[in-house]
Amino acid sequence: MNPQETAKQIVESVGGIGNINSVYHCITRLRFDLKDQGKADQAALKQLDKVMGTNIAGDQFQVIVGSDVSKVYDAMTKEYPALKADAAPPAAGTAEDKKKGNPVSRLFDFIAGVFAPILPAIAGAGLMKGLVALFVSWGWMTAGTDTYLIISAIGDGVFYFLPVLIAISASRKFGANPYVGVAVVSALLYPDLIALLGSGEPVSFVGIPVTAVSYASSVIPILLAVWLMSYVERGVNKIIPASLKLLLVPLITLLLVVPVTLIVIGPLGTFIGGGLSGGINWLLAEGGLFAGLILGGAMALIVMTGMHYALVPVILSNLATLGVDKFLPLTYISNMGQAGATFGVFLRAKDKKLKSVALSTSVTALMGVTEPAMYGVNMTYKKPFLAGMIGSAAGGAFAMAFGVNAYVLAGNGGIPGLPALIGPTFVYALEGLGIAFVVAAVVSFILGIKEEIPVPEVSPDGKKIVAAPASGAVSTESERLPAASAAPAVEEPVKIPARDETIYAPMTGRAIPLTDVNDPTFGDELMGKGIAFVPSEGILASPVDGTVMNVFKTKHAIVVHSVSGAELLIHVGINTVKLRGQYFEAQVQAGDVVKAGDPLLTFDLARIAEEYDTTTAMVVTNTGDYASVEALETGGVSILKPVLKVTI
C-alpha cells in the first residue's frame, strides 16, 4: 500500500476529515487532535500495512507509523490541504478547546504541538554540533578556522534563532498569524535592541523601566509572548473595519505586544523558565542515583503518555544557557532498555518466527525507533516491557550517579544520536546505556514469556508489527470493517450469517464497473467488490432492507447493514469529503431501520459537480464472506433496479 492510500485510509479511520482539528507528526507518529476520539476505529487502523499501532495520550490520538511517517503525512496534507500546518487551526479559547477539560492534558498537547514540528531542525542542528565536537576532539578539525566557524554556524544558528522557530509553531497552535509572530520575535532579537539591553545602563519605554533580558535561544518568554499576541490579534481584529484590517491589525498588535513583552512577559518568562530548569536540574543533580532510578524506570511510561514533551523547553533552555542537560540521557537509556528486553525475548523464545521478530525489532530500537519493539513485542507479552523498565532504572541510576550529561539535542535516542552525549561524561553515558540493555535482556530472559500467545504478525516489508488476537478471541464486526468506513456510530448487530442477496441501485443515473472509478481505494477494489454510478439526480436511496450503521459526519457517505448480512458502503463522489458536509442533507441517522428505496441522502448534484467528480461507489465491504459479488447491470439505471448479486 502506497503512502497516499495509507493516508486516505488513516483519515477515514480516525473519523474522516470532519473529525480532525489538526494533525502533525514527530519522528514516528501522526499526532491527531480529534473532535471525538470515539469515532476513531483503532482496529481498522492496526490492519493497515504501514501502521504499527495506536496510542491515546490525553487529548491526543496517535497513529504509530514508524520511519515512513513523513511520507504518509505529506501524502495526507496533499490529499487534504486543510490539514496542512499552515492552515488556520481552531483559535485558542474556542468551544472546541474549552471542552477539553483537563488542564494538564491541554498543556502537554500544546507543548507537543509547538515543538514536534520544529524538532527535525533542532535535531539536525544538534547533531551537527555533536559532530563538530567529535571532530575537534579527534583532531580532524581545528577550532577557529574558517571551516570550523561555517560548520559551527549550521549548528549554532538554529539555537540562536530558536525563538523564530518557536514563534512560527506557537502562532499556528494558538491560531495567530505566524508572520506577525515572527515580527514580534524579530524585534526582540534586533541587534540594536540587544546592544541597548546589554549596555548595563538603565533602559525605559515611555518612562517605564525595561528589564535587561537576552531573548536569543529563549523558550518560555517566546511562548508567553505569542500567547499574548494571539489574544491581542483576535481582539483587535474584531474592532477594526474589514477594509483596514490588513494594515492596522498587525500594526496595533506589534505596538502592544512588543513593549509588554519587554516590560512584563520577558522577565516573567525568564524567571519561570529559570525556576523550572533549576528545579529539575537540582532534582537530578541532588537526587543522583535515586532520581535516575525512578525517572529511568518510568521513562517508557512518560514517553507513551507524551509527558516528555513538557520538558522540551527545559532541555532546550539547559542546552542554550548551561551547555548541558541531564534529563535527555534518560530517554536514550529508556530506548536501550526496551531494545534489551526485546533481545532477551530473542534469546529465550523457541518459536522461530518470534525469535526473528524479536531480533529485528531489537535492532530497530537500537537505532532509535522503539515502537515496533515496545508495541509489537514487549507490551504484547507484558513481562518484557517490565524488564525494559527495570533495565532502564538500572542504567538511569548509574548515569545519574556519575552525572551523565547531554551536550546537544541530536537525532533520536538510539545509536545514531550518540554524538549528543559526547563530552566529559561520554564514557559513563555509554556504560549507562550498556547497563540498561544488558540488565533488561537478562531480566527479560529470566522472566520468560507465554509463547502460547500468538506471535506478532510482520508485514512483507518488515516494518509493520501487529499483535494477533489472543487465542480463542473472536474478531468483532468493527475489526472487520475497512478503514474508510470509519467506526460504526451504533452498536453492531449480532452477526448474521451472510446469505445470497440481490442489491438494488441506490440512485438514478448510469451504472459503471467499480474498476472504472478514478480513485484507487475503490477502483482497485481495496475496500471490496461492488459497482459505481454516475448520478443524474441528487437522491441516494437504500439499496437493501436493513439498518443504517453510520452516517459520516461529512454526510458524503453512508454504511448500511442488510438483513441478509451484506455490509454496504456508499460513497457519493470522489474527494467530496473536502466539502465537509456542504451541499449534502442526511435523511436518516445511525440506527434507523430502512427499506430498499427509502431516501438516505439528498445532495445538490449541480453544485458538487462544479468542483468534484460525482461518481458514486457502492462497495460490499464484507466481500470475503461471499463466493462472488457480481454486477448485474451497467448503463442506465433507476432506483430499485437490481444491480448486484452476492452469492455464498
Side-chain angles (χ1 to χ4, degrees):
M1 187 180 296
N2 63 41
Q4 184 177 15
E5 292 166 355
T6 300
K8 291 167 68 175
Q9 293 197 13
I10 288 175
V11 168
E12 294 296 343
S13 294
V14 299
I17 188 73
N19 193 40
I20 302 173
N21 285 326
S22 63
V23 60
Y24 61 92
H25 73 89
C26 56
I27 295 174
T28 58
R29 308 182 188 199
L30 292 168
R31 298 172 179 268
F32 289 92
D33 175 13
L34 300 179
K35 294 177 181 177
D36 183 356
Q37 290 185 358
K39 293 183 178 180
D41 188 343
Q42 297 189 56
L45 284 163
K46 291 175 183 177
Q47 297 305 311
L48 300 181
D49 283 345
K50 292 186 181 296
V51 174
M52 298 173 182
T54 61
N55 185 49
I56 297 176
D59 294 316
Q60 190 180 90
F61 185 86
Q62 303 171 358
V63 179
I64 303 163
V65 176
S67 58
D68 287 336
V69 66
S70 61
K71 295 179 182 177
V72 175
Y73 175 80
D74 290 343
M76 186 177 293
T77 53
K78 182 178 180 181
E79 181 69 23
Y80 307 102
L83 296 180
K84 288 183 179 179
D86 56 1
T94 62
E96 282 298 333
D97 291 327
K98 290 177 181 178
K99 75 179 182 180
K100 299 174 184 176
N102 188 335
V104 177
S105 294
R106 291 206 307 272
L107 176 63
F108 290 157
D109 177 66
F110 165 69
I111 294 176
V114 170
F115 285 98
I118 65 177
L119 279 180
I122 297 172
L127 183 57
M128 178 60 72
K129 287 168 67 70
L131 291 174
V132 168
L134 183 64
F135 294 161
V136 171
S137 66
W138 286 352
W140 293 1
M141 183 181 294
T142 302
T145 64
D146 293 347
T147 300
Y148 171 85
L149 292 174
I150 291 173
I151 294 181
S152 295
I154 298 174
D156 294 336
V158 169
F159 290 95
Y160 183 86
F161 291 104
L162 180 63
V164 175
L165 298 181
I166 294 174
I168 295 171
S169 191
S171 296
R172 288 170 174 166
K173 189 67 178 174
F174 283 126
N177 187 315
Y179 303 105
V180 177
V182 169
V184 169
V185 170
S186 298
L188 301 178
L189 297 177
Y190 189 64
D192 287 353
L193 179 60
I194 292 176
L196 176 65
L197 295 176
S199 65
E201 298 295 327
V203 178
S204 65
F205 177 78
V206 294
I208 303 174
V210 174
T211 302
V213 171
S214 173
Y215 294 95
S217 304
S218 63
V219 176
I220 301 296
I222 305 305
L223 291 174
L224 293 175
V226 176
W227 169 76
L228 172 65
M229 187 203 82
S230 69
Y231 281 96
V232 172
E233 186 180 61
R234 282 195 297 275
V236 174
N237 199 55
K238 290 179 181 179
I239 61 176
I240 298 298
S243 60
L244 299 176
K245 286 182 186 296
L246 180 62
L247 295 176
L248 294 186
V249 172
L251 173 64
I252 297 173
T253 300
L254 289 169
L255 283 174
L256 290 175
V257 172
V258 173
V260 171
T261 299
L262 290 170
I263 296 167
V264 180
I265 297 291
L268 176 63
T270 301
F271 175 78
I272 294 173
L276 187 59
S277 299
I280 292 174
N281 292 334
W282 177 86
L283 174 64
L284 291 173
E286 299 300 321
L289 184 149
F290 296 103
L293 184 75
I294 295 171
L295 288 176
M299 188 56 62
L301 298 175
I302 292 173
V303 172
M304 285 172 60
T305 61
M307 292 170 61
H308 62 302
Y309 274 107
L311 294 175
V312 171
V314 175
I315 294 171
L316 292 175
S317 176
N318 285 340
L319 293 174
T321 58
L322 304 176
V324 298
D325 175 72
K326 293 185 177 296
F327 182 82
L328 197 56
L330 295 177
T331 64
Y332 282 55
I333 287 169
S334 179
N335 274 25
M336 292 299 110
Q338 292 301 316
T342 315
F343 188 73
V345 173
F346 160 72
L347 296 175
R348 177 69 181 262
K350 297 178 181 179
D351 184 275
K352 291 183 178 179
K353 182 179 179 182
L354 177 55
K355 289 179 78 71
S356 175
V357 170
L359 180 60
S360 64
T361 56
S362 178
V363 172
T364 302
L366 285 172
M367 300 307 292
V369 180
T370 56
E371 278 82 358
M374 186 183 298
Y375 291 96
V377 178
N378 295 348
M379 293 186 69
T380 297
Y381 294 94
K382 297 181 177 62
K383 289 181 181 178
F385 185 72
L386 175 61
M389 295 177 65
I390 293 172
S392 300
F398 176 88
M400 291 302 102
F402 286 91
V404 169
N405 293 314
Y407 299 90
V408 295
L409 181 62
N412 51 31
I415 292 173
L418 286 180
L421 305 177
I422 294 174
T425 60
F426 185 53
V427 172
Y428 295 125
L430 291 179
E431 291 175 350
L433 295 173
I435 289 171
F437 184 91
V438 172
V439 170
V442 170
V443 173
S444 178
F445 182 87
I446 293 173
L447 293 179
I449 59 173
K450 295 181 180 180
E451 290 196 52
E452 59 269 24
I453 297 176
V455 180
E457 296 293 333
V458 185
S459 64
D461 61 5
K463 293 181 178 179
K464 183 194 177 193
I465 310 296
V466 180
S471 177
V474 179
S475 295
T476 64
E477 192 67 17
S478 63
E479 288 173 327
R480 299 177 60 257
L481 281 173
S485 67
V490 296
E491 184 178 352
E492 288 284 353
V494 176
K495 178 64 178 175
I496 302 170
R499 304 192 298 271
D500 293 358
E501 183 174 6
T502 297
I503 299 171
Y504 302 99
M507 55 177 44
T508 298
R510 179 166 55 90
I512 62 173
L514 186 63
T515 52
D516 288 353
V517 177
N518 186 28
D519 184 309
T521 301
F522 298 113
D524 293 345
E525 298 184 336
L526 299 177
M527 305 285 294
K529 296 182 179 297
I531 194 169
F533 307 90
V534 179
S536 59
E537 297 178 1
I539 299 175
L540 179 71
S542 177
V544 292
D545 295 346
T547 303
V548 177
M549 298 311 300
N550 191 7
V551 179
F552 281 51
K553 191 167 185 177
T554 47
K555 305 175 189 176
H556 72 296
I558 281 187
V559 178
V560 180
H561 192 290
S562 84
V563 294
S564 296
E567 300 163 4
L568 299 167
L569 167 66
I570 311 169
H571 191 287
V572 181
I574 306 299
N575 293 326
T576 47
V577 67
K578 296 178 181 179
L579 290 170
R580 303 196 178 195
Q582 188 179 18
Y583 308 137
F584 290 94
E585 287 296 333
Q587 304 301 316
V588 293
Q589 58 185 358
D592 286 354
V593 176
V594 293
K595 294 288 187 183
D598 287 351
L600 300 177
L601 289 176
T602 56
F603 51 94
D604 191 332
L605 180 61
R607 296 295 294 275
I608 296 172
E610 290 176 0
E611 300 181 62
Y612 297 96
D613 181 347
T614 58
T615 301
T616 297
M618 181 169 71
V619 178
V620 181
T621 58
N622 61 332
T623 292
D625 290 349
Y626 298 96
S628 67
V629 176
E630 180 185 1
L632 301 176
E633 190 77 33
T634 56
V637 294
S638 58
I639 292 174
L640 289 183
K641 186 168 186 177
V643 291
L644 278 181
K645 176 72 174 179
V646 293
T647 306
I648 294 298

